[in-house]
Amino acid sequence: MTRLTGSALRVTVYIGENDTWHHKPLYTEIVHRAHAAGLAGASVFRGIEGFGASSLIHTSRLLSLSEDLPVAVVIVDTETRVREFLPQLDELITEGLVTLDHCEVIRYVGREGTQDASRGRTGRKGKKSL
């Protein structure tokens, strides 16, 4: 199990929900590459409204014509590991914003046992994962 506490680096990638890489969602490719690189974790957050360099406002409001909502992919790991991953982001991101922030990890704890995604349960008898 990966242990991560103390000083860390957070990379946040701001892209559009409809951005793709080889016919797959770009955010999916970023998460899969982060996983393959052994980074501590990655999360994707879907925005409800925003605008970027194009100055077009994207919103989830019912009457809006826009469906290309903003997406943020957040990855936190040691500074060394995040910086080693940046060339992959450079290859993937043709439009969007990538930011780096220093942060401090207070607690990073994974689940014990094997994960059964279809039931949301771990391999531990009688214990349900959250």
Side-chain angles (χ1 to χ4, degrees):
M1 179 163 101
T2 303
R3 295 224 180 258
L4 178 65
T5 56
S7 181
L9 198 60
R10 174 179 51 227
V11 59
T12 306
V13 181
Y14 300 93
I15 54 177
E17 183 179 33
N18 293 339
D19 293 347
T20 60
W21 177 260
H22 296 264
H23 309 291
K24 293 190 316 192
L26 179 56
Y27 57 84
T28 298
E29 183 66 18
I30 294 168
V31 169
H32 284 260
R33 286 194 185 199
H35 185 260
L39 295 173
S43 296
V44 178
F45 300 95
R46 185 177 188 222
I48 58 171
E49 190 164 14
F51 72 93
S54 68
S55 293
L56 295 174
I57 294 180
H58 303 276
T59 180
S60 64
R61 284 184 271 159
L62 194 58
L63 299 177
S64 172
L65 298 176
S66 174
E67 294 179 0
D68 188 21
L69 295 173
V71 171
V73 182
V74 179
I75 302 167
V76 177
D77 207 319
T78 64
E79 181 168 356
T80 300
R81 294 175 68 86
V82 167
R83 290 197 183 277
E84 288 172 353
F85 186 67
L86 291 180
Q88 290 199 54
L89 292 178
D90 192 43
E91 175 189 349
L92 294 171
I93 310 301
T94 57
E95 294 178 359
L97 174 67
V98 179
T99 64
L100 292 174
D101 301 290
H102 289 280
C103 61
E104 184 175 352
V105 175
I106 304 300
R107 182 173 170 89
Y108 175 67
V109 180
R111 293 186 178 115
E112 294 178 25
T114 58
Q115 177 71 23
D116 180 351
S118 66
R119 293 190 190 148
R121 297 183 182 273
T122 65
R124 296 174 291 166
K125 187 175 181 179
K127 298 224 176 171
K128 187 175 183 180
S129 66
L130 301 174

